[in-house]
Amino acid sequence: MVKFHSIKIKNYRSIKEAVLNYESGVWHIIGTNNDNSGFKSNGSGKTTVLLALQQCLFNRTTFGSNIEDTYHLLKYGYSLQTTFTIKSSLKGKRTFRITNEREPLRILIEELVNEEYEDFGVKSIPQALAVIQDIIGMDFNTFVATTYISHSTVVNLIENFTSSTLIKSVLDFDSIYSIDKAVKRKLQEQIQISTTAQVELKNRNETLKVLDSFTYVDLDSINTELEICTTKLLHIDQSVNALRLEQLTLEKVNIELAIPVLHQEVSKAQKQLDTNICPCCNQDIIVDVENLSQNIETYTQRLISMEVRLTNIDNAINKLEELLSNERTAVYKDINHYETQLTIGTYKNEQHKLHSASAKNIRAEVIKLEAELKDSLAEQEILVAINNSIKSGAPLKSLIVSFCTALNLYIQQYTSLLSITYALIKAVPKKNTIDLVAIDTRFNKTLNLTDYSGGELTRIRIVLLMSVLNAIKTLTGVSTNILIFDEALDTLDVSAAQDLGVLFEYLANHEDKFIALVSHGKQLNAITFNGDITITKNDGISTITQI
């Protein structure tokens, strides 16, 4: 497959300078010609943008060049440059840059090697064009037929099926053997794709099992337990034991304050008894020995009682403190446990978020891989059927049979995608041609395709178009990421446009296609576009905006 990335346009027809990126998706090309007072979308430069790639690669376009264009190109010159990547099973991935210039006159072919582009060394224009054709694997007519779809292209698929440009691009091959080789190579590629997808799916699913094993921690329940522990601490501080400890501590303080006072009283009484001197005025007095002795004995007894009480209080305080300490230690142990659990839980939840995000991405990859595997296996089924048909009969007959085999399988696929339930379409191989047969399921009879209504017929034409393009890709390996519809869908009704939008979205996502639609009708409003390519012409100069 040839995947084009972008084209740089300078001084080509009405475009002074622009860049168009071939990003995958469905794009709406809108033109406005402010120089034209009539139909303002005509002459804006829409077709010029579409044909620039043809000019860059093949030095000519579908519409050729009129005298005015030729004069402009020769007088002012132009510069066109495109980059593209080619993937093949033999040479892997290769990236090229083609520059087609008129001043100086040259076609420069470069290949990306070691992060730098190297000149192919082509010396002449004819030689350069032959090299480009060899690189992309298709000639001008095949490239145009498979990338640029006009109204006449779609119409001719039914009115002149075998002689249409698309069909002739296949049936004009010199030999069936090139087809045979391409089919076998394609089959090998698809087997490799499906095998790789199966291995990747297995790895992704194993990773998902590990990521899904991480569970979310309920932090609210841990916080609840912490609150319970805090309440327990409050209850310990307000318990009977705590209150009793407070009372004993106060009593101890009072006793400790009273003991020195009593000692002082005993000392005074003893001194007075021993010296007959008043301790207050140091004067001799008559001592009442009996009374003093009794006081001393009373004070001494009280001191002994206080000291015993103090010892008992100390013992009680120690026991209460030990009891309360044990209670607090148990609660603090629980608090530390739950705080640790909270820290660990918070970390685990952060990890869970990361793992969930990773798992989400991996699940998206799994869905993509499963779709890729499904498509690859379906493609292998088609290729095997074609390969079997190739082995039967003469080259041209075998080629026609093979083409019809591929075509019918794709017709079946696309009629389902476009919800066509009213017609069973089949390509029937003849001696040197192909007939299209349609059975109307509503009346169970054979009809000419042109007998269907406008909207029905347009859907059938789109099915045939996409089926033919895929059959060509399967048989020859010829395909690009570009598909341009130039006013080819103006007869669509809104319902058909909606179904076609689903089909285009499928092609953009699964086949990495850049699909560009040009139309004057409003029916394309029913299609969801990835972006707009707006071309505005003022004073003869067209500018491009891609959003």
Side-chain angles (χ1 to χ4, degrees):
M1 178 179 178
V2 184
K3 181 177 181 179
F4 290 92
H5 302 296
S6 65
I7 184 166
K8 295 180 181 179
I9 306 170
K10 188 175 182 180
N11 290 332
Y12 183 64
R13 293 187 173 181
S14 63
I15 300 174
K16 188 173 182 180
E17 191 166 2
V19 176
L20 179 63
N21 294 310
Y22 297 115
E23 297 177 18
S24 59
V26 186
W27 296 83
H28 191 193
I29 297 182
I30 305 167
T32 302
N33 185 357
N34 293 324
D35 297 344
N36 185 357
S37 59
F39 201 5
K40 286 203 168 187
S41 64
N42 281 337
S44 59
K46 299 190 300 297
T47 302
T48 297
V49 172
L50 305 179
L51 300 183
L53 185 59
Q54 296 176 13
Q55 182 74 37
C56 182
L57 295 173
F58 300 100
N59 221 33
R60 59 178 171 145
T61 68
T62 306
F63 300 146
S65 297
N66 57 35
I67 295 175
E68 182 182 349
D69 286 337
T70 304
Y71 172 77
H72 177 85
L73 296 178
L74 291 175
K75 182 177 179 181
Y76 299 103
Y78 66 78
S79 176
L80 301 170
Q81 186 181 85
T82 185
T83 57
F84 58 89
T85 300
I86 298 176
K87 291 182 180 179
S88 70
S89 57
L90 296 176
K91 296 185 178 180
K93 183 177 178 181
R94 303 169 71 196
T95 301
F96 294 89
R97 180 168 64 193
I98 307 293
T99 305
N100 186 329
E101 296 180 333
R102 275 291 174 271
E103 193 174 329
L105 181 62
R106 67 168 184 167
I107 295 179
L108 179 64
I109 304 172
E110 301 168 287
E111 183 176 3
L112 184 65
V113 179
N114 298 326
E115 304 296 328
E116 293 183 358
Y117 282 99
E118 293 187 359
D119 190 350
F120 241 57
V122 177
K123 301 301 180 184
S124 67
I125 299 298
Q127 184 186 0
L129 294 175
V131 170
I132 292 172
Q133 182 172 319
D134 184 59
I135 289 172
I136 65 176
M138 62 188 95
D139 60 13
F140 173 75
N141 289 330
T142 305
F143 179 80
V144 171
T146 54
T147 60
Y148 184 79
I149 312 301
S150 64
H151 180 69
S152 61
T153 305
V154 177
V155 170
N156 284 337
L157 274 176
I158 291 180
E159 279 73 358
N160 304 292
F161 186 73
T162 307
S163 61
S164 67
T165 307
L166 275 172
I167 305 303
K168 285 173 69 177
S169 69
V170 177
L171 300 186
D172 281 350
F173 272 91
D174 295 332
S175 171
I176 186 61
Y177 302 111
S178 59
I179 301 291
D180 184 23
K181 187 177 179 181
V183 168
K184 287 179 179 177
R185 185 183 70 249
K186 189 80 174 177
L187 183 56
Q188 286 294 97
E189 289 178 355
Q190 290 301 326
I191 290 172
Q192 185 176 357
I193 288 171
S194 62
T195 302
T196 303
Q198 286 171 337
V199 172
E200 290 295 325
L201 269 173
K202 182 180 178 182
N203 293 338
R204 296 294 192 281
N205 285 323
E206 286 177 355
T207 304
L208 279 175
K209 285 181 182 178
V210 175
L211 292 176
D212 289 340
S213 66
F214 288 87
T215 56
Y216 184 79
V217 179
D218 185 5
L219 298 181
D220 290 338
S221 63
I222 297 176
N223 280 318
T224 300
E225 293 297 330
L226 275 174
E227 289 176 3
I228 292 172
C229 290
T230 304
T231 304
K232 283 182 179 178
L233 275 179
L234 184 62
H235 287 164
I236 290 171
D237 292 337
Q238 295 176 350
S239 65
V240 173
N241 289 333
L243 292 174
R244 179 59 180 159
L245 177 62
E246 186 179 348
Q247 292 172 354
L248 288 174
T249 302
L250 181 61
E251 185 179 353
K252 178 182 176 181
V253 169
N254 291 331
I255 292 173
E256 287 175 340
L257 291 174
I259 286 175
V261 174
L262 283 174
H263 275 296
Q264 189 176 8
E265 291 297 326
V266 170
S267 178
K268 286 180 181 179
Q270 188 64 48
K271 183 180 180 181
Q272 187 177 356
L273 182 63
D274 294 339
T275 61
N276 296 324
I277 296 174
C278 178
C280 298
C281 59
N282 291 325
Q283 299 292 325
D284 291 336
I285 60 172
I286 299 172
V287 177
D288 186 348
V289 174
E290 184 178 352
N291 188 38
L292 279 174
S293 298
Q294 188 176 357
N295 286 343
I296 290 171
E297 185 178 354
T298 301
Y299 291 151
T300 301
Q301 289 297 325
R302 288 179 63 186
L303 278 170
I304 292 171
S305 175
M306 284 184 177
E307 286 172 351
V308 171
R309 178 61 180 161
L310 190 60
T311 300
N312 292 336
I313 288 174
D314 283 336
N315 292 333
I317 287 175
N318 289 336
K319 288 180 180 180
L320 286 172
E321 284 179 341
E322 183 179 1
L323 178 63
L324 291 171
S325 177
N326 290 338
E327 290 178 357
R328 288 193 181 95
T329 299
V331 176
Y332 281 128
K333 185 177 179 180
D334 289 341
I335 288 175
N336 289 334
H337 168 73
Y338 290 121
E339 285 178 344
T340 302
Q341 290 296 104
L342 191 62
T343 302
I344 294 172
T346 303
Y347 173 76
K348 282 186 174 180
N349 286 350
E350 289 298 321
Q351 290 292 97
H352 184 269
K353 287 179 183 178
L354 294 174
H355 292 145
S356 296
S358 298
K360 183 179 179 182
N361 293 333
I362 291 174
R363 284 191 176 90
E365 291 175 7
V366 166
I367 292 171
K368 188 175 180 180
L369 283 168
E370 286 174 342
E372 184 179 317
L373 180 60
K374 182 181 178 182
D375 291 344
S376 179
L377 293 174
E379 187 80 5
Q380 287 179 51
E381 184 180 346
I382 293 171
L383 289 164
V384 169
I386 294 168
N387 196 40
N388 291 335
S389 68
I390 287 175
K391 296 176 182 178
S392 62
L396 183 57
K397 178 184 176 182
S398 181
L399 175 57
I400 292 174
V401 170
S402 301
F403 185 75
C404 287
T405 302
L407 192 58
N408 286 327
L409 289 167
Y410 284 115
I411 286 173
Q412 191 176 26
Q413 178 182 346
Y414 284 112
T415 50
S416 175
L417 280 171
L418 273 181
S419 304
I420 296 178
T421 57
Y422 47 81
L424 293 176
I425 307 161
K426 188 174 182 180
V428 180
K430 297 295 182 181
K431 183 177 180 180
N432 292 317
T433 186
I434 299 172
D435 283 351
L436 289 176
V437 177
I439 299 175
D440 193 303
T441 56
R442 295 166 295 192
F443 308 106
N444 195 25
K445 66 176 183 177
T446 302
L447 290 180
N448 292 323
L449 290 174
T450 52
D451 291 337
Y452 286 94
S453 66
E456 293 174 341
L457 185 57
T458 301
R459 287 173 186 248
I460 292 172
R461 283 171 172 159
I462 296 300
V463 165
L464 285 174
L465 172 67
M466 301 312 303
S467 300
V468 168
L469 289 175
N470 276 278
I472 291 172
K473 174 184 173 183
T474 300
L475 284 170
T476 66
V478 169
S479 68
T480 73
N481 64 317
I482 295 176
L483 191 56
I484 295 167
F485 292 85
D486 191 1
E487 300 181 13
L489 307 174
D490 285 352
T491 58
L492 284 177
D493 55 29
V494 174
S495 175
Q498 289 174 337
D499 289 340
L500 193 60
V502 174
L503 172 59
F504 286 158
E505 184 180 356
Y506 173 84
L507 293 174
N509 293 334
H510 288 77
E511 299 185 18
D512 206 17
K513 289 279 190 184
F514 167 87
I515 302 172
L517 280 67
V518 180
S519 176
H520 291 303
K522 295 183 178 180
Q523 66 278 2
L524 292 190
N525 293 338
I527 295 176
T528 302
F529 291 97
N530 295 91
D532 293 332
I533 300 171
T534 305
I535 304 164
T536 307
K537 190 173 186 180
N538 292 295
D539 299 326
I541 297 176
S542 299
T543 57
I544 301 175
T545 305
Q546 185 174 8
I547 302 176

